[in-house]
Amino acid sequence: MANYWLMKSEPNAFSIEDLKALPKQTDMWDGVRNYQARNIMRDQMQKGDKVFFYHSNATPPGIVGIAEIASDEAYPDPTQFDEKSKYYDPKSDPEKPRWFLVDVKFVEDLPMISLEQLKANPKLSEMKVVQKGARLSVQPVTEAEWSEVLAMAKVNI
DNA sequence: GCCAACGTTGGC
DNA sequence: GCCAACGTTGGC
């Protein structure tokens, strides 16, 4: 059964426009250095799962589109072994990689649903992204939350 | 730029 | 294994 997720990215670093502009509209979701987020990518995500693409540290922050998981399974994040990468992790053993990632493919743009709008919707009061101090960059989304956000997107057009 | 919330590190 | 210090995230 397909699941739903929300993945955060700072548009200054990597925006949904950047993903859309790639030849295959697909990219490695590299740089995640949080164990909880890694575990979700490594253990729970399946090819074809749908993802809300969220712009954090943006004005305003919010959901800007839909992507989907495009790799059959998670695999080691190559940037952890790249000394020139800002994501280099000298403590990660190539024989036993610490960080995993999935490929993410662009699906469609949505009219921005701002964090403010998400917070204002009582049906989304349990959604992870609206919780205070919710820093996790890869989050599960329930089917009800997914549908509700899509309904909000239609109104935003 | 500030700072609250939270995760990680490392001394003990 | 505790917990203080430190670093990062991310809204504002």
Side-chain angles (χ1 to χ4, degrees):
Chain A
M1 191 191 83
N3 290 304
Y4 301 106
W5 311 100
L6 178 145
M7 297 172 91
K8 296 180 188 173
S9 186
E10 300 194 17
N12 288 337
F14 187 74
S15 70
I16 194 166
E17 290 81 12
D18 293 331
L19 180 64
K20 194 178 178 180
L22 293 172
K24 293 185 175 176
Q25 301 191 323
T26 302
D27 202 21
M28 296 186 291
W29 200 265
D30 60 13
V32 171
R33 294 294 179 267
N34 171 284
Y35 289 106
Q36 217 179 328
R38 176 206 67 182
N39 290 347
I40 290 173
M41 290 199 291
R42 189 190 59 189
D43 304 333
Q44 295 185 248
M45 284 182 163
Q46 296 177 313
K47 190 174 187 177
D49 283 358
K50 294 292 190 291
V51 177
F52 282 136
F53 199 113
Y54 180 90
H55 278 175
S56 60
N57 260 319
T59 47
I63 291 169
V64 292
I66 296 175
E68 68 179 22
I69 307 304
S71 53
D72 288 325
E73 55 188 9
Y75 57 97
D77 181 342
T79 64
Q80 71 194 303
F81 306 123
D82 178 1
E83 287 184 42
K84 295 189 292 292
S85 170
K86 65 172 177 171
Y87 300 124
Y88 176 59
D89 183 353
K91 293 180 186 169
S92 183
D93 176 358
E95 299 296 314
K96 204 181 171 195
R98 180 179 291 198
W99 305 112
F100 285 74
L101 54 69
V102 294
D103 292 341
V104 170
K105 181 176 171 36
F106 174 82
V107 174
E108 64 176 317
D109 290 309
L110 292 175
M112 150 81 69
I113 305 112
S114 68
L115 178 60
E116 186 181 13
Q117 285 182 290
L118 297 172
K119 283 182 173 172
N121 187 335
K123 290 181 188 169
L124 300 179
S125 62
E126 300 297 315
M127 197 171 177
K128 303 267 191 226
V129 75
V130 308
Q131 306 304 316
K132 194 176 179 182
R135 295 175 11 178
L136 194 60
S137 64
V138 177
Q139 308 178 349
V141 172
T142 68
E143 190 167 5
E145 289 163 353
W146 183 269
S147 303
E148 182 60 23
V149 171
L150 288 184
M152 293 173 77
K154 281 187 183 171
V155 174
N156 275 2
I157 292 172

